[in-house]
Amino acid sequence: MAEPFSGPKRNRIHRALSRPNLLMGADRELLLITGLAAVILIFVVLTTYSALFGIAAWIVIAGVLRMMAKADPLMRQVYVRHVSYRSHYRSTTSPWRSY
């Protein structure tokens, strides 16, 4: 016989599959790009001041990126999608309809 109904069936969602891709608590791609820019600044200019400025700039930007990821881990993707939208859409019955 079938078991009595005990409520809705629950499925496990593994954290590794739904967790945002962060590195050091910040967006992975943005952190790596800023690190690459800092390393390029340090090794292209090759002065003590450029090394200090590159390290300081990377630490500050990494902190800002961590605050951004703490507010919303997917903020970069949301912003990129937001920029792709138009400022105004005409009211039509279909998005493919042209006048």
Side-chain angles (χ1 to χ4, degrees):
M1 277 196 158
E3 293 182 23
F5 182 71
S6 62
K9 184 178 177 183
R10 295 183 181 250
N11 293 326
R12 285 189 86 113
I13 297 176
H14 296 281
R15 269 183 35 187
L17 298 174
S18 62
R19 188 170 53 189
N21 195 6
L22 301 178
L23 178 68
M24 293 173 47
D27 185 55
R28 183 175 177 266
E29 289 85 7
L30 292 178
L31 191 72
L32 290 175
I33 287 172
T34 57
L36 180 65
V39 167
I40 288 172
L41 174 71
I42 292 169
F43 288 109
V44 167
V45 180
L46 280 178
T47 63
T48 306
Y49 295 120
S50 70
L52 292 175
F53 180 73
I55 292 169
W58 189 73
I59 289 172
V60 168
I61 292 172
V64 169
L65 290 175
R66 286 187 69 179
M67 287 190 301
M68 185 179 85
K70 193 177 283 189
D72 184 8
L74 301 175
M75 191 177 291
R76 179 181 59 92
Q77 289 90 348
V78 171
Y79 178 72
V80 168
R81 187 176 61 224
H82 160 74
V83 170
S84 69
Y85 291 153
R86 293 187 206 159
S87 60
H88 177 72
Y89 287 95
R90 294 178 59 181
S91 59
T92 60
T93 57
S94 171
W96 301 279
R97 184 176 177 181
S98 61
Y99 290 98

